[in-house]
Amino acid sequence: MKKTLIAQLQDGQQYLKLWPKAPELGAILPENRIVAATKMGIKVVPFIAVLSVLVQGISLGAEYLPQAITFALFLLSMPVQGLYWLGKRSNTYLPPSQASWFREIHSKMCENGHQPTVSQSRPRYAELAILLNEVYSKMDKAFRRELF
């Protein structure tokens, strides 16, 4: 099933909010770096794009305004690219090695008396984010140390 660009960006925004902010996950998955870069881009890039157009317009003149606007549009596309990547990633099924890791975490949580809210059949990265959020919010540090 193909999703529209807007739907992918919305999925990326949800995945951005879902992903746990845990430094130990950075060694395992690239999401920590992408989430941090996208969040920073959403906050900083619009200011840089406007500043870029103003500086180029003032210093180089009106004849360079099309190039300045093109550069600003390129800058503004960077956070959108991050959200798109996160949206595609959230809907991707886990590879077999990570799916077994997902099932291992799920079963260990069940053994410790906590029933996760996600199912084990064909997990996607979005379900992994939900499961990891539950690990960080409901399980103790000893349990997390055992996993990582």
Side-chain angles (χ1 to χ4, degrees):
M1 176 175 106
K2 290 256 183 191
K3 287 192 169 198
T4 64
L5 177 65
I6 301 298
Q8 289 284 23
L9 295 176
Q10 289 171 344
D11 287 349
Q13 187 70 30
Q14 290 173 351
Y15 192 57
L16 182 83
K17 293 176 184 175
L18 268 178
W19 191 256
K21 288 107 184 124
E24 55 267 11
L25 293 174
I28 302 169
L29 298 162
E31 271 81 356
N32 280 12
R33 294 184 299 275
I34 304 296
V35 165
T38 303
K39 281 184 178 180
M40 185 185 72
I42 289 170
K43 290 178 185 174
V44 174
V45 167
F47 172 73
I48 293 173
V50 170
L51 185 66
S52 156
V53 170
L54 289 175
V55 167
Q56 290 182 49
I58 291 170
S59 64
L60 299 175
E63 62 271 4
Y64 287 98
L65 199 57
Q67 289 91 337
I69 291 173
T70 303
F71 181 68
L73 289 174
F74 170 73
L75 286 176
L76 291 171
S77 75
M78 291 202 165
V80 175
Q81 291 175 38
L83 288 175
Y84 182 76
W85 187 90
L86 289 169
K88 290 286 271 187
R89 180 79 166 195
S90 72
N91 293 315
T92 304
Y93 290 108
L94 292 173
S97 62
Q98 289 180 342
S100 66
W101 183 58
F102 176 91
R103 289 184 186 93
E104 178 185 330
I105 294 171
H106 193 281
S107 64
K108 285 184 180 182
M109 286 179 76
C110 289
E111 288 172 8
N112 286 326
H114 177 71
Q115 184 62 36
T117 58
V118 292
S119 69
Q120 286 184 303
S121 63
R122 298 257 345 216
R124 298 174 301 144
Y125 280 96
E127 282 91 16
L128 178 63
I130 293 168
L131 185 70
L132 290 173
N133 257 336
E134 289 181 13
V135 166
Y136 281 97
S137 65
K138 297 179 177 151
M139 305 307 283
D140 60 354
K141 287 185 180 182
F143 181 82
R144 291 191 302 254
R145 265 189 239 121
E146 184 181 312
L147 292 177
F148 308 111

